[in-house]
Amino acid sequence: MLPARPEDHGFDAARLARIDAYLKARYLDTGRLPHTQLLVAHEGEVVHFSHQGLARADSDMKVDETTLFRIASMTKPVTSLAFMMLVEECKVGLDTPVEQVLPEFKDVGVFNGGGAGVPFLTKAPAEPMRMIDLLRHTSGLTYSFQQRSNIDAAHREGKLENWYDNLTLDEFVAAVGKLPLEFSPGTAWNYSVSTDILGAVVQRVSGQGLGDFFRERIFAPLGMDDTFFVVPEDKVHRLADCWTLVPGKGRVMFDRAEESLWRLPPRNISGGGGLVSTALDYHRFCTMLLNKGSLGGVRLVSRKTIDLMTANHLPGGGDLASMSTSLFSETTNAGVGFGLGFAVTTDSAKTMIPGSVGEFYWGGMFSTAFFVDPVERITMVFMTQVSPSTAFTIRRELKTLIYSALST
């Protein structure tokens, strides 16, 4: 596609172009990343869309606008939006106790000892886990890769987050519901499987499979024809290879496109991290959010729902620096709150990165990222395929370079 003239949207074209030169010199020429794709838009109009590097290790196929990427935790805002569509229909509320929809959580307790071969001891939570806790990651749940507690160790032992050859979504909910919470819901923040559990809520409340709900209620209306949990056979040739960084070895192949797991239907549909998409498709999703819930004459949710989703919902108006117990998440903590599915900038000075108060964003474990700035009316989608996303400071560098390209 041909981008709009940057100058017509308040950008300096030369300064946008230097972003690509920076990515090439720092990340591609050094072998840190196999490829990069960057889409920057203003008022929904693409002003910069660049592709660099090879999509696959064993071919000369270059990354282009049709390339498919595993977007991992950039799935979470989609699941959160799906839930809020059900809230608008008054089928569920933010204050609904999770156990009302998922009775597997009826007797869940808070960790009070045990684990590592010793039976867990629990105490009653001060407050029940509510739907809002799933959306803002204050549920007390955890992730296996946090590597911090006996509870995340139990996740690893049970291979609970293995989507392809272990538990179905309902079985996953049951298994997580048998483990203690790390803290009483609403008292702390921990990046976790909360959004996977939220996906199960969407299934049970709607009576549809999560993939079907996404396709019929979100992707088809928005024209996101290249976003799915399972890559169709006639589109596999567009999927990029995916890599992981191993200490002492550098980049190692994690998921080769020709034999990718994402070609297969997973046993557990992950609302927390299972989608594949393109930059252009996710740009449409971001533009819908920028437009307060609508795109191309189609409205998914009201503007007030988007306002609610993008407000800071951390208790007491706090930020992640004061509330997070996570050893890993897709954001820094200072000056950052959390909404209903997104990190939200509450104090730009504290983040020490150019941006706007009210900007919201997230990223995925394979180093993909997006942000929506409703003040400057800017959106960004960045795609590559290397984990972990914490390996490089590329996200803050991209933000710095994009905002430094503003001319008006």
Side-chain angles (χ1 to χ4, degrees):
M1 64 171 295
L2 292 175
R5 277 171 39 91
E7 294 84 356
D8 295 338
H9 290 268
F11 280 96
D12 183 313
R15 284 185 163 233
L16 283 175
R18 75 181 185 181
I19 303 175
D20 300 331
Y22 179 86
L23 291 173
K24 183 177 185 300
R26 180 169 176 80
Y27 289 102
L28 297 174
D29 291 349
T30 59
R32 290 184 173 98
L33 295 177
H35 47 249
T36 61
Q37 185 172 75
L38 175 65
L39 188 156
V40 181
H42 177 255
E43 295 285 6
E45 293 283 331
V46 177
V47 298
H48 183 84
F49 192 21
S50 62
H51 333 277
Q52 299 188 82
L54 298 177
R56 297 187 177 184
D58 55 359
S59 80
D60 58 0
M61 183 176 75
K62 295 180 179 180
V63 167
D64 63 23
E65 65 182 42
T66 70
T67 303
L68 294 165
F69 299 89
R70 304 153 193 80
I71 62 171
S73 287
M74 282 166 57
T75 305
K76 289 180 170 69
V78 181
T79 304
S80 301
L81 179 77
F83 176 83
M84 294 306 294
M85 294 171 79
L86 298 173
V87 169
E88 284 199 339
E89 296 167 5
C90 292
K91 293 181 176 178
V92 67
L94 290 174
D95 60 349
T96 301
V98 173
E99 67 182 50
Q100 284 191 14
V101 177
L102 304 178
E104 293 92 334
F105 284 90
K106 181 173 176 56
D107 298 316
V108 69
V110 178
F111 178 78
N112 199 33
V118 177
F120 282 116
L121 302 175
T122 63
K123 57 186 178 182
E127 296 286 343
M129 185 195 302
R130 297 181 172 90
M131 297 300 175
I132 191 172
D133 293 309
L134 297 178
L135 286 148
R136 68 186 181 184
H137 292 283
T138 56
S139 61
L141 300 174
T142 191
Y143 259 133
S144 62
F145 53 71
Q146 291 290 358
Q147 300 279 349
R148 189 200 58 221
S149 72
N150 286 346
I151 303 168
D152 61 57
H155 275 243
R156 293 191 296 277
E157 183 180 351
K159 299 180 180 179
L160 300 192
E161 293 152 43
N162 186 331
W163 305 336
Y164 284 90
D165 58 7
N166 195 14
L167 306 176
T168 65
L169 181 53
D170 285 339
E171 290 168 344
F172 172 77
V173 169
V176 173
K178 292 175 182 175
L179 297 175
L181 304 177
E182 293 204 342
F183 49 81
S184 193
T187 61
W189 188 92
N190 185 45
Y191 194 40
S192 72
V193 298
S194 289
T195 317
D196 288 275
I197 301 299
L198 191 70
V201 172
V202 171
Q203 282 202 159
R204 295 202 193 171
V205 172
S206 70
Q208 283 187 286
L210 193 63
D212 293 334
F213 187 101
F214 280 8
R215 183 176 60 256
E216 294 174 19
R217 300 285 303 274
I218 299 174
F219 300 153
L222 293 182
M224 295 173 64
D225 299 326
D226 286 325
T227 306
F228 21 66
F229 285 107
V230 182
V231 181
E233 197 59 37
D234 62 350
K235 295 186 178 184
V236 169
H237 67 283
R238 294 164 47 193
L239 183 64
D241 285 339
C242 191
W243 305 77
T244 191
L245 295 173
V246 177
K249 295 183 179 180
R251 272 199 292 120
V252 174
M253 186 66 69
F254 171 76
D255 186 66
R256 192 177 296 278
E258 295 96 327
E259 51 204 43
S260 174
L261 283 176
W262 276 261
R263 298 174 60 177
L264 309 173
R267 280 180 59 78
N268 182 356
I269 297 291
S270 172
L275 287 175
V276 169
S277 189
T278 63
L280 285 172
D281 261 22
Y282 212 85
H283 161 63
R284 295 184 69 80
F285 185 74
C286 290
T287 304
M288 177 274 298
L289 296 172
L290 182 70
N291 292 344
K292 303 279 189 173
S294 69
L295 181 70
V298 174
R299 178 165 293 282
L300 297 189
V301 292
S302 80
R303 63 181 177 84
K304 297 302 289 185
T305 293
I306 296 297
D307 288 344
L308 183 63
M309 292 181 72
T310 57
N312 178 24
H313 285 265
L314 293 183
D319 67 2
L320 295 181
S322 61
M323 288 206 66
S324 176
T325 65
S326 259
L327 293 184
F328 168 83
S329 79
E330 298 289 348
T331 181
T332 55
N333 291 340
V336 178
F338 210 85
L340 305 180
F342 319 91
V344 179
T345 299
T346 58
D347 189 326
S348 296
K350 287 183 179 179
T351 70
M352 296 187 286
I353 310 172
S356 301
V357 172
E359 169 198 355
F360 53 98
Y361 62 92
W362 204 239
M365 69 176 292
F366 302 119
S367 301
T368 61
F370 80 96
F371 73 76
V372 177
D373 183 338
V375 177
E376 298 291 343
R377 308 291 293 171
I378 297 171
T379 60
M380 179 210 79
V381 179
F382 176 74
M383 297 292 201
T384 190
Q385 297 281 259
V386 174
S387 69
S389 58
T390 53
F392 308 118
T393 55
I394 191 168
R395 292 173 181 172
R396 67 179 297 134
E397 293 159 7
L398 285 170
K399 281 199 66 184
T400 300
L401 289 162
I402 290 167
Y403 281 105
S404 71
L406 286 172
S407 57
T408 59

